[in-house]
Structure formats: structure tokens, C-alpha cells
Amino acid sequence: MWKIYLARFKRNKLALTGLSIISVLTLIAIFAPYLTQYSPIEQNLLERLQPPSAKHFFGTDDLGRDVFSRIVYGTRVSISVGLVAVSIIVLIGTAVGLISGYFGKKIDLVLMRFVDIMLCFPTFFLILMVIAFLEPNIYNVMIVIGLTSWSGLARLVRGECLAVREREYVQAAQVLGLARRRILFVHILPNVIAPIIVSATLGVGSAILIESGLSFLGLGVQPPTPSWGNILTSGKDYIYLAWWLSLFPGMAILVTVLSYNLLGEGLRDVFDPRMSE
């Protein structure tokens, strides 16, 4: 099946476009020190609020820092937050969904009622509430996004697990007396991995958007560490005087989130072609 998926992926222009953009962004994050001669935190008040030029491609901010270097280094922050947060989401959501879907009965009832309670709270406001009691930094942002955003994936995995649990090969494994752990991780998990991959890919874009929102509000990554969100924060005070402070980080967020959404939508069509009909 994975050979079939790979063949479909190569024919899917949306997925290839998203993957190409993500690959470029990843390379930018890895080789950030080699892409700019300026430090993202070095101030030069003599060159504050300079427009884009050959010397400063994206201009400078109110403290004379090079905006291009800050956006390049901010790529590291955004991608790191997205990947770490989604890793936590996948770990918790998959575990809860598998346990709830396979064991059912009282375990399913308790876990799903807890998931329902989590879903009752708007995710962003729940994150705001938790961050308000913690020190706002990149590590807390990663952990809080991951710990508050897994409930949707848990319901998805539970539904897939319920369907797979009734298939003949799973019932045969139960009759043979195989250990529950083996049935879960060998017979069920590989057959629900496709929707998990799609959900995780889309989740990276959502996590990046949440981190940018938190940083914009001053509750995410703290200055002088560059983040697309806190670059936007400094830009809002100079929106009419220095348009580049809002345009370029906004475009960076747009392109990154859009690329992960394109990849996620493409992977969904690859794993389930009926969704594209």
C-alpha cells in the first residue's frame, strides 16, 4: 500500500507544492547563520526604521535590527514550536484514542467524557488561560499547545480504532490469544496511521499560527528572541510609517501555514482518494 501511496503522492500537485515550500523553510531554519550577515538581536539606533534596500532586504525595525535576519531566525522558532507541539499532540491523542477505541465500555466512557470537556473550551483561550499562570517562553508555549490540543486527534483515532477493531484479522488475533499490546501496536495502529499523519501535518500549521498569536499578544516567545509574532507586535505601532514590519512577518506566517495545509490536504487525498471526489 505504501508504494501505491507514494505513486499517488507524486501525482498530487498540492502535496508536492506544500512539501517543496516546507523543505525550503526547513533549509532556511537549518542554515540561518549563513543566510544573513546581521545578528537578529543586534541593535543599531542610527539605522532604525530603514525601508527595504540592498543593505537591509526587509528593512530595519524601531531598534535598528535587521528584519530579514529576524524573520530568518524566526523560522527556527516557528518550525520548532510546530513540530514539538504536534509531537505531544500525536503522542497523547493517539494513546487516548487507541485505548478508548479498543477497550471500550467504562474506559471509553470516562476518556470520551474528558475529551468532551476539553472540546468545550476554545483551544486558544484555554492556552491563554494556562500561559497566564506560567512564565511565557518558547518551551512553555510548545508544551501548553501540545497538552491542550490533542482532544480532536483522540476522537479521530478512536473512531478509526472502532472500525479496525471489528475486522477479521483483529478478531483472529484475539481468538489466537495474542497480547492486547501486540494487537494494538501491530494490528491496529499501522491501519490507523494514515489519518494520524494527515492530522499531524495540518496540526503543525495550526500550532505555528497559535504561537504567532501568543507572541503577538506578548505571551509567547519573549524578545529579544526573534519570532514572527513579536516582530508583528513591534510593527503594529508603526503600521503607517514602516509597513515592512507588518508585511514580511505576516507573509512568512501565511506562506508557512498555507504550505502545511496544502501538504495535509494533499496527503488526505493520497490516503483516501474518495475525499477528493
Side-chain angles (χ1 to χ4, degrees), residues 42-49 60-65:
E42 182 180 354
Q43 301 179 15
N44 184 355
L45 297 179
L46 296 177
E47 295 188 352
R48 63 189 302 269
L49 298 179
T60 61
D61 63 9
D62 56 316
L63 296 176
R65 295 172 297 192

Side-chain angles (χ1 to χ4, degrees), residues 7-239:
R8 290 177 186 167
F9 183 84
K10 291 179 179 178
R11 295 194 300 267
N12 193 297
K13 294 182 179 180
L14 283 179
L16 289 175
T17 301
L19 181 61
S20 300
I21 298 173
I22 292 169
S23 300
V24 172
L25 291 171
T26 304
L27 290 175
I28 289 174
I30 294 173
F31 297 105
Y34 304 100
L35 298 178
T36 175
Q37 59 180 322
Y38 297 102
S39 167
I41 61 175
E42 182 180 354
Q43 301 179 15
N44 184 355
L45 297 179
L46 296 177
E47 295 188 352
R48 63 189 302 269
L49 298 179
Q50 293 292 313
S53 63
K55 184 177 182 181
H56 299 286
F57 299 140
F58 291 173
T60 61
D61 63 9
D62 56 316
L63 296 176
R65 295 172 297 192
D66 183 69
V67 176
F68 177 75
S69 66
R70 289 181 63 77
I71 290 178
V72 167
Y73 277 88
T75 307
R76 288 182 166 183
V77 173
S78 295
I79 292 180
S80 298
V81 169
L83 294 179
V84 173
V86 166
S87 298
I88 297 173
I89 291 170
V90 169
L91 182 64
I92 299 176
T94 302
V96 172
L98 284 176
I99 294 171
S100 179
Y102 181 74
F103 291 98
K105 299 180 180 179
K106 291 183 178 180
I107 295 178
D108 180 40
L109 181 65
V110 171
L111 289 177
M112 284 303 103
R113 294 301 74 77
F114 180 70
V115 169
D116 290 339
I117 293 172
M118 292 285 293
L119 290 172
C120 287
F121 296 96
T123 303
F124 190 75
F125 292 104
L126 181 61
I127 293 172
L128 280 177
M129 182 179 67
V130 176
I131 285 289
F133 293 97
L134 300 174
E135 179 185 357
N137 57 52
I138 186 173
Y139 302 107
N140 286 340
V141 169
M142 292 176 181
I143 295 171
V144 170
I145 292 176
L147 293 179
T148 57
S149 307
W150 55 267
S151 50
L153 179 62
R155 290 185 72 92
L156 174 65
V157 174
R158 172 184 176 270
E160 294 291 329
C161 184
L162 288 173
V164 174
R165 188 183 65 178
E166 302 301 323
R167 293 180 182 173
E168 290 79 3
Y169 57 85
V170 176
Q171 295 179 353
Q174 293 172 337
V175 171
L176 290 172
L178 296 183
R180 290 177 174 176
R181 182 175 60 183
R182 179 178 176 83
I183 294 174
L184 274 174
F185 290 102
V186 177
H187 298 281
I188 295 181
L189 180 59
N191 290 284
V192 302
I193 198 70
I196 294 175
I197 293 174
V198 174
S199 180
T201 305
L202 294 171
V204 174
S206 298
I208 291 173
L209 202 56
I210 291 173
E211 180 276 322
S212 299
L214 291 172
S215 297
F216 179 78
L217 295 173
L219 296 173
V221 179
Q222 298 298 297
T225 303
S227 165
W228 295 337
N230 60 35
I231 297 173
L232 278 173
T233 300
S234 62
K236 69 180 175 60
D237 296 326
Y238 301 93
I239 186 68

